[in-house]
Amino acid sequence: MGVLMLIVGVFVMVLCMCTAVLRWNEMRYRKKGLPPGTMGWPVFGETTEFLKQGPNFMKNQRASRYGSFFKSHILGCPTVVSMDPELNRYILMNEAKGLVPGYPQSMLDILGKCNIAAVHGSTHKQMRGALLALISPTMIRQQLLPKIDEFMRAFLSNWDNQVINIQDRTKEMAFLSSLKQIASAESSSVAQQFMPEFFKLVLGTLSLPIDLPGTNYRRGFQARQNILKILGQLIEKRRDSEESHKDMLGYLMRNDDNNRHKLSDDEIIDQIITILYSGYETVSTTSMMAVKYLHDHPTVLEELRKEHMGIRERKRADEPIEWNDLKSMRFTRAVIFETSRLATIVNGVLRKTTQEMELNGYVIPKGWRIYVYTREINYDPFLYPDPLAFNPWRWMDKGLESQNYFLIFGGGTRQCPGKELGIAEISTFLHYFVTRYRWEEVGGEKLMKFPRVEAPNGLHIRVSSY
């Protein structure tokens, strides 16, 4: 009996301490004028609930209690969540008014402080200029599309009569395709060493910035250090060589007067990591989900295959995809947009206040993050009738792509600069996949939609020749 009383006493004491800690943490953020909401535990905040519950955390537990604008503490930062479409557009369009990129500390540490997503003002303008020069329509047409076509043609060979994990394959595809565009000559020799480090880096970007052994943050940060060595050695070897390279790294390293956006080695490395990271997430996941949705919607697959077989009929068997072929893939573009919308590949973006400001009638302190949550816009029945249906035909009207709430690729001055390059990669992948193969799912694996779209146990398909 005495032991039982002791256990009950300890339990009550722990409960009281936890309640007191939670109440103390709430009092710290009870400044007059702040939005409603809860802050959770010190340091950890409500990060666990945010990552585990995702949309339910936003929509059911928070929005139903506090409306579309509320405070929380996620990924190590006091954060205001905005789910209001009009306000979200204002936030994204007004970087000059003190609403700058506010990515979590884990992402800044792992992607590097010189990456384009972290800088603003004149530095952002210079970095964006350097990036846009690498992936302009002219560069895609003349330099990048031939590399993408050569890579996809080889990558998608010999899949016949195999059961493959399309999630793993699209991850490899997105990484290796980008690496070939960045460093054509060396991509094969560094890929085996680079790829596992890169996958660890990606996992670490969405984690609590707690530097302890075994955490995703520690593994991600260590992976960054290893990648810095790989890229540093690559840059050194290129400097020692007199050979010229017509790839992204070659362009970034140019010292001639035609290069208006000269960068330091640190900036070049962070730029490369950013290109790999941003392209990897969107291209791999969109490609995987397109394969999933096409399997589930045979009429869409039939229309897509018709478009691509028409292109192939005009070409010799070994003739590559060219710029005019890419521009003619109107239904393919619609499939990519509809996949991005329905799967919600990107749930939102983060901004940070550089000064205390008023938003939506509330005071937002300096240094707070604002999570512009765009997921619900993708399911708005006024913008997208029958929003849960996979209907690429809705995008055949060009007006939908240009409407104010089209935030699939970001918004304002931060719209994804690699949008057209990503579309080119996914389109070329789909071209060779649907013209060479048919497939069926095996296993019926579960899909997660937050914080990343992924199949925890993989997404397996049985592939046969078409």
Side-chain angles (χ1 to χ4, degrees), residues 49-273:
E49 296 94 320
F50 170 73
L51 293 176
K52 281 189 175 178
Q53 298 172 21
N56 289 332
F57 174 86
M58 300 292 183
K59 192 175 179 181
N60 301 332
Q61 297 185 20
R62 292 291 175 254
S64 60
R65 291 167 64 187
Y66 304 120
S68 61
F69 196 73
F70 55 90
K71 71 174 185 278
S72 182
H73 196 291
I74 51 180
L75 296 172
C77 314
T79 303
V80 173
V81 177
S82 172
M83 300 173 66
D84 181 274
E86 287 286 349
L87 185 58
N88 286 349
R89 181 166 170 76
Y90 172 84
I91 293 166
L92 292 174
M93 297 296 289
N94 282 280
E95 182 171 327
K97 294 183 179 179
L99 292 160
V100 301
Y103 294 94
Q105 196 60 45
S106 56
M107 194 173 283
L108 294 176
D109 292 345
I110 291 170
L111 294 185
K113 291 180 172 59
C114 295
N115 88 79
I116 191 172
V119 296
H120 49 90
S122 59
T123 308
H124 174 255
K125 189 175 179 181
Q126 182 188 13
M127 298 289 281
R128 187 178 176 85
L131 183 56
L132 286 173
L134 295 176
I135 55 179
S136 66
T138 303
M139 282 291 284
I140 294 173
R141 182 173 66 249
Q142 295 178 356
Q143 301 287 339
L144 302 179
L145 186 56
K147 290 184 176 75
I148 292 168
D149 182 272
E150 181 187 14
F151 170 79
M152 294 297 178
R153 190 185 290 264
F155 186 77
L156 281 156
S157 62
N158 304 317
W159 285 22
D160 191 18
N161 297 321
Q162 289 190 45
V163 173
I164 64 168
N165 182 348
I166 193 65
Q167 178 171 254
D168 286 352
R169 289 295 178 94
T170 53
K171 284 180 177 180
E172 290 171 23
M173 176 271 288
F175 172 77
L176 294 172
S177 176
S178 291
L179 191 60
K180 185 176 180 66
Q181 295 162 51
I182 289 165
S184 301
E186 301 90 350
S187 59
S188 299
S189 60
V190 301
Q192 195 171 4
Q193 181 187 8
F194 200 148
M195 190 156 54
E197 299 300 328
F198 178 76
F199 290 164
K200 284 184 275 187
L201 176 145
V202 170
L203 283 175
T205 55
L206 276 182
S207 62
L208 273 170
I210 298 174
D211 191 13
L212 292 174
T215 61
N216 281 340
Y217 176 81
R218 168 70 72 87
R219 284 192 287 263
F221 191 74
Q222 287 175 338
R224 172 179 168 79
Q225 303 311 308
N226 294 334
I227 288 170
L228 291 181
K229 288 178 190 171
I230 295 168
L231 292 176
Q233 289 168 1
L234 187 54
I235 290 171
E236 238 177 83
K237 281 181 185 175
R238 286 221 174 168
R239 285 229 168 87
D240 292 341
S241 167
E242 294 182 5
E243 189 179 348
S244 63
H245 296 268
K246 290 187 175 181
D247 53 26
M248 289 186 181
L249 181 57
Y251 185 91
L252 288 170
M253 290 178 63
R254 275 168 48 194
N255 283 318
D256 57 66
D257 294 335
N258 294 325
N259 186 0
R260 297 185 295 114
H261 306 285
K262 291 178 182 175
L263 305 177
S264 67
D265 283 3
D266 287 344
E267 288 171 333
I268 289 171
I269 288 172
D270 280 354
Q271 191 83 298
I272 290 170
I273 292 172

Side-chain angles (χ1 to χ4, degrees), residues 21-68:
V21 169
L22 283 169
R23 185 176 290 275
W24 170 78
N25 200 44
E26 293 297 337
M27 292 297 292
R28 290 171 64 207
Y29 295 103
R30 198 165 283 181
K31 181 180 175 182
K32 189 176 179 181
L34 284 175
T38 55
M39 304 302 283
W41 299 96
V43 182
F44 298 98
E46 297 179 310
T47 301
T48 302
E49 296 94 320
F50 170 73
L51 293 176
K52 281 189 175 178
Q53 298 172 21
N56 289 332
F57 174 86
M58 300 292 183
K59 192 175 179 181
N60 301 332
Q61 297 185 20
R62 292 291 175 254
S64 60
R65 291 167 64 187
Y66 304 120
S68 61

Side-chain angles (χ1 to χ4, degrees), residues 77-78 352-356 364-369:
C77 314
K352 183 175 73 172
T353 55
T354 58
Q355 60 198 28
E356 186 176 287
I364 314 299
K366 177 182 177 181
W368 276 42
R369 265 59 170 188

Side-chain angles (χ1 to χ4, degrees), residues 401-426:
E401 189 178 334
S402 58
Q403 51 96 350
N404 285 343
Y405 303 110
F406 180 66
L407 300 173
I408 291 171
F409 296 97
T413 59
R414 297 282 168 166
Q415 187 170 46
C416 176
K419 170 186 169 185
E420 294 303 327
L421 177 59
I423 289 171
E425 289 185 287
I426 300 165

